Amino acid sequence: MTGSEPKATPDLARELGLTADEYDRIIKRLGREPTYTELGLFSALWSEHCAYKHSRVFLARLPQTGPHVLQGPGENAGVVDIGDGWAVVFKIESHNHPSFIEPFQGAATGVGGILRDIFTMGARPIALLDSLRFGEPDDPKTRRLIEGVVSGISWYGNCFGCPTVGGEIAFAPEYAGNPLVNVMCVGLVRADRIFRARAEGVGNPVFYVGNKTGRDGIHGATMASSTFDERAEERRPTVQVGDPFTEKLLLEACLELMQTGAVVGIQDMGAAGLACCTSEMPARAGTGMEVELSRVPRREIEMTPYEILLSESQERMLLVVARGREEEVRRVFAKWELDAVEIGQVTGDGDLTVRHHGEIAARLPVKALAEAPRYEKPTAPPPWMAELRAFDPLTLPEPADYEEALLAVLGSPTIGSKEWAFRQYDQQVGINTLVLPGSDAAVLRVKGTRRALAISTDGNGRQVFLHPRRGAAMAVCEAARNVSCAGGRPLGVTDCLNFGSPERPEILWQFAEAIDGLAEACRALDLPVVGGNVSFYNETNGQAVLPTPIVGVVGVLEEAGRAATQWFKGAGHRLALLGPDAVSLGGSEYLWTLHRRLAGALAPLDLGLERRVQSAVQAAIGTELVLSAHDCAEGGLAVAVAEGCVTGRELVGGSVTLPEGARADLTLFGEGPSRVVVSVDPARVLEFEGLMAESAIPWCWIGTTGSERLRVRCGSTTVIDAAIESLEQAWRRGFERHLA
């Protein structure tokens, strides 16, 4: 063992993020004190970010299998069969903590990491989506975060050459100290050419490929597994630095080598860097690995074994290669001007043996590293929950002017146009994008087939805060409904679960309830969860973010040319509302925008009805009976109709009549699941009515498109009569006015 390292002690273990109990467990497992380097390995591999110590017991409740699933959780990404020999590879990950510390590089390297997760499976990435949460946008610090994060996402994706085709941006004061930066990537692969992160074949050589190793990102995984305080920005050295041009070369080199059949296993050096790959790959395969760190390409001098193992420098991979095919690896990577160095081999002893200039720096059982403790800590609902849910928003006064209320909600930063962000992204590189950002779901063609993919991300922290189980189930339903409104049949889910510290019983209760809600909705909709990410410790000085499970859904359209969008296509079309009447102002955008209140009960959720509504929408789009389809979500029915008027290339007005009965603010701005607004050509009204009768769902005609105004009546009373131009201006400037 190296003799110049600091001595491992309980105090040092605590500094590295390990508890006293975990340090004792390490000693018991090894039968001795660990070395400093070994302690560093445990601190990274046993961090919450890598080990999911508090979440694994709950994640097992999620449905993870299905007839289309080719790869579920446990690999770099999930894989679902879409037919014709093709499969879609997709995953969502967080880079929350790094993006708070250093917004540009934090977000950029989040994009780089999720891209590598996709192409390590053998897939070519075809789309990125980002789901972002920030504090109030009128705060200068929040504006700096927004500008840095969006710039980082656009820079990396644009330079790499993968289009950013969708996502969402929302705001709440609870995210001020911890923005959420979740990025989803989707790729395509031949169904029989999937690669996995396994170190199989004793004696097979292990290759380090890609960028050189530096000191950036050391202990990034540990940093992502702790809460923040006012000194958080001092952790900037733990944030990685990205190079998208090198990543593009790495993609092409890896895919080319995969075609040769020389690759046995491959894993991205992401969180915990080389330490993670060299332990997880053999652990999955039941083997061991021996590596020589002096062979690792480095861009800094005098790096210690500890630093080389724990660096999270970007654009690097670890490959296990078939013995005898080493020269093929070197030749392919030399062509792309990248390092490809044999640093070790697969062994059969079950140990990770790390040498530095021949001297052993660490020798540990890979199972000891890969099998971190799993905790079942107490959960308890917060004491204020019942009081918040009991609040009745209808005790607040109605708006004096409903037109002004609609302008305010439509122009709120969460609902307003995100064109400021989208126009910074290359949306069409690869020429697959059929539906650009701004509709319910992105749509991309599958070249060589008649099919297309529909993709959406969604999540509502306010709803989950008020009712974690139902709010999480609603997130699944809304993301799937967005895909259905594009004409897609949802096939699978990836999720990114953003919560505060799991060491607080009320936070862990929120998490457990949210998992149950996700599971219930996924089972009801036949949507397996094929991968994702848990991000805990999103809190600063004791203020946790709203519990925010972000759900990504991928679906398939059998006919790419029949994709639908949310905006109205012209005058004279009939408007229908599909779904139930039940809505609530609890947790609504209206309640927050006009009254700055986060309270109230959520609308009921009928998962059977949700499934029937989505099936009806898919059928109506597939038979070309509807001209547009738009999910009623944030802002309620009034906002959904207004968005249909103003979000297309042409402004199209409309006239809507809603039943009289409930208060107008509840009817117009109440939010609830399973509701979709569609427009229908008058010539096909009877066919549409026949389909609705067969679908056995509640629905009604509510109006027509046309004119230069949006008129809304509740019964015989006109409550809104607004010029389309004023609605369009409010919507278009709602977010961007904060960044001018």
Side-chain angles (χ1 to χ4, degrees):
M1 300 288 182
T2 55
S4 58
E5 296 178 335
K7 178 178 172 53
T9 64
D11 288 341
L12 179 59
R14 190 161 46 251
E15 289 177 22
L16 296 178
L18 294 164
T19 66
D21 176 68
E22 287 168 346
Y23 184 68
D24 288 342
R25 290 190 190 207
I26 291 168
I27 293 174
K28 288 178 182 177
R29 287 196 186 188
L30 299 181
R32 58 176 174 82
E33 294 274 355
T35 67
Y36 173 67
T37 298
E38 290 171 340
L39 188 62
L41 289 170
F42 276 109
S43 72
L45 272 297
W46 283 18
S47 67
E48 187 67 43
H49 188 73
C50 290
Y52 289 11
K53 294 181 290 189
H54 293 88
S55 62
R56 281 186 183 272
V57 64
F58 302 106
L59 295 175
R61 303 176 185 176
L62 296 172
Q64 300 172 3
T65 60
H68 302 289
V69 176
L70 301 179
Q71 178 61 60
E75 280 289 340
N76 288 305
V79 188
V80 174
D81 194 327
I82 60 170
D84 289 335
W86 285 100
V88 59
V89 180
F90 59 104
K91 189 181 182 183
I92 189 169
E93 281 268 11
S94 65
H95 234 221
N96 303 337
H97 283 50
S99 298
F100 177 70
I101 297 170
E102 213 302 299
F104 182 90
Q105 286 293 350
T109 52
V111 173
I114 197 67
L115 284 164
R116 291 193 300 279
D117 283 340
I118 299 308
F119 70 78
T120 53
M121 302 295 294
R124 181 172 293 275
I126 63 167
L128 292 162
L129 297 89
D130 52 78
S131 187
L132 312 177
R133 298 292 184 274
F134 298 101
E136 299 285 15
D138 53 4
D139 180 349
K141 187 170 184 179
T142 296
R143 290 200 296 271
R144 180 183 69 84
L145 288 170
I146 295 169
E147 290 166 354
V149 165
V150 171
S151 295
I153 290 170
S154 65
W155 173 72
Y156 206 103
N158 294 356
C159 293
F160 177 86
C162 186
T164 301
V165 298
E168 45 168 359
I169 308 176
F171 303 88
E174 291 83 358
Y175 301 115
N178 273 94
L180 303 184
V181 178
N182 295 180
V183 182
M184 179 177 173
C185 187
V186 178
L188 286 171
V189 66
R190 297 301 297 179
D192 60 351
R193 298 295 296 164
I194 298 167
F195 288 81
R196 293 174 171 84
R198 301 174 65 87
E200 295 179 326
V202 173
N204 278 335
V206 174
F207 272 79
Y208 171 113
V209 301
N211 220 340
K212 290 179 168 56
T213 294
R215 289 187 170 91
D216 55 314
I218 293 175
H219 271 303
T222 306
M223 173 269 292
S225 306
S226 61
T227 58
F228 280 168
D229 55 27
E230 61 277 355
R231 300 176 61 190
E233 293 186 8
E234 295 177 9
R235 303 190 187 197
R236 189 167 282 111
T238 62
V239 178
Q240 310 95 323
V241 178
D243 179 354
F245 300 106
T246 297
E247 178 126 327
K248 174 63 172 175
L249 299 176
L250 184 60
L251 160 77
E252 300 298 345
C254 287
L255 294 185
E256 181 175 332
L257 185 65
M258 287 169 171
Q259 292 300 314
T260 69
V263 177
V264 175
I266 179 171
Q267 183 165 333
D268 163 40
M269 290 189 214
L274 189 59
C276 189
C277 297
T278 52
S279 54
E280 288 185 347
M281 290 183 74
R284 290 190 188 101
T287 58
M289 188 175 288
E290 182 170 337
V291 295
E292 172 53 67
L293 297 183
S294 64
R295 300 177 192 167
V296 171
R298 298 181 294 281
R299 63 172 180 262
E300 298 186 47
I301 62 172
E302 297 182 355
M303 290 185 70
T304 65
Y306 181 98
E307 292 172 327
I308 296 169
L309 285 167
L310 296 178
S311 166
E312 294 184 15
S313 294
Q314 296 288 283
E315 297 86 36
R316 304 177 302 156
M317 298 281 190
L318 196 69
L319 271 62
V320 174
V321 176
R323 186 166 42 184
R325 306 190 69 172
E326 294 85 350
E327 283 308 311
E328 291 178 67
V329 180
R330 297 186 183 99
R331 183 171 63 251
V332 169
F333 279 86
K335 169 186 170 181
W336 294 99
E337 299 181 344
L338 293 172
D339 285 317
V341 180
E342 185 178 345
I343 65 167
Q345 64 179 355
V346 178
T347 64
D349 59 8
D351 286 345
L352 169 61
T353 302
V354 179
R355 299 181 185 274
H356 192 230
H357 297 293
E359 186 177 352
I360 292 178
R363 177 176 283 163
L364 300 166
V366 292
K367 285 189 176 181
L369 287 169
E371 296 177 4
R374 298 186 184 186
Y375 296 123
E376 295 187 40
K377 292 194 173 180
T379 65
W384 38 259
M385 179 64 71
E387 183 180 352
L388 272 185
R389 286 186 191 170
F391 173 75
D392 182 2
L394 296 181
T395 59
L396 298 170
E398 290 188 64
D401 186 326
Y402 273 99
E403 181 178 329
E404 290 299 320
L406 175 57
L407 290 169
V409 178
L410 190 62
S412 68
T414 291
I415 289 181
S417 169
K418 304 306 185 299
E419 188 179 342
W420 176 88
F422 290 146
R423 65 175 174 249
Q424 298 184 50
Y425 305 145
D426 190 329
Q427 305 161 16
Q428 296 185 352
V429 60
I431 60 171
N432 293 310
T433 312
L434 299 177
V435 176
L436 299 173
S439 194
D440 281 344
V443 179
L444 295 102
R445 67 167 54 88
V446 180
K447 289 177 182 173
T449 77
R450 301 175 67 176
R451 291 184 172 87
L453 300 177
I455 315 161
S456 178
T457 61
D458 228 301
N460 189 316
R462 290 185 191 136
Q463 292 180 345
V464 181
F465 178 75
L466 292 173
H467 199 306
R469 183 178 297 215
R470 191 181 305 169
M474 285 180 170
V476 173
C477 293
E478 185 173 347
R481 201 181 315 127
N482 288 337
V483 167
S484 294
C485 284
R489 175 170 50 89
L491 289 180
V493 162
T494 180
D495 54 39
C496 195
L497 311 178
N498 306 274
F499 288 78
S501 170
E503 296 166 38
R504 294 166 56 186
E506 69 274 19
I507 299 292
L508 201 58
W509 176 82
Q510 289 175 338
F511 183 81
E513 288 288 295
I515 289 289
D516 286 340
L518 294 171
E520 289 169 6
C522 287
R523 287 194 175 93
L525 300 180
D526 280 341
L527 285 175
V529 180
V530 297
N533 173 234
V534 177
S535 178
F536 276 138
Y537 297 101
N538 290 290
E539 58 180 75
T540 298
N541 293 325
Q543 172 63 62
V545 299
L546 295 176
T548 312
I550 300 296
V551 177
V553 171
V554 174
V556 65
L557 289 81
E558 296 301 324
E559 295 289 339
R562 294 186 179 179
T565 51
Q566 70 181 38
W567 42 85
F568 302 148
K569 304 304 186 291
H573 301 153
R574 297 285 300 274
L575 296 178
L577 172 64
L578 316 187
D581 295 328
V583 292
S584 171
L585 291 175
S588 67
E589 185 67 27
Y590 165 86
L591 189 61
W592 177 256
T593 299
L594 269 69
H595 299 285
R596 311 305 279 181
R597 294 291 296 266
L598 173 52
L602 303 185
L605 171 62
D606 180 336
L607 288 169
L609 176 58
E610 176 72 41
R611 180 167 181 159
R612 294 195 301 276
V613 168
Q614 291 194 33
S615 295
V617 172
Q618 294 164 31
I621 294 171
T623 53
E624 300 183 299
L625 286 177
V626 301
L627 300 167
S628 67
H630 186 21
D631 167 37
C632 284
E634 290 86 356
L637 179 58
V639 165
V641 172
E643 287 176 333
C645 294
V646 305
T647 57
R649 292 183 179 178
E650 297 180 8
L651 303 183
V652 180
S655 176
V656 171
T657 300
L658 303 173
E660 195 166 23
R663 261 177 44 168
D665 52 353
L666 178 62
T667 300
L668 295 173
F669 303 110
E671 298 176 11
S674 317
R675 290 158 56 88
V676 177
V677 173
V678 300
S679 61
V680 181
D681 187 325
R684 306 198 68 181
V685 161
L686 291 179
E687 292 175 77
F688 178 80
E689 290 177 341
L691 176 63
M692 291 301 102
E694 293 174 5
S695 300
I697 62 170
W699 75 281
C700 61
W701 295 113
I702 60 171
T704 59
T705 62
S707 88
E708 296 179 352
R709 304 185 72 80
L710 173 61
R711 294 184 175 90
V712 181
R713 291 190 298 177
C714 288
S716 59
T717 304
T718 298
V719 291
I720 294 172
D721 186 356
I724 294 301
E725 289 84 355
S726 65
L727 295 174
E728 193 259 353
Q729 185 177 24
W731 172 76
R732 196 164 298 284
R733 288 190 48 77
F735 167 55
E736 190 164 345
R737 61 192 164 90
H738 296 283
L739 297 160

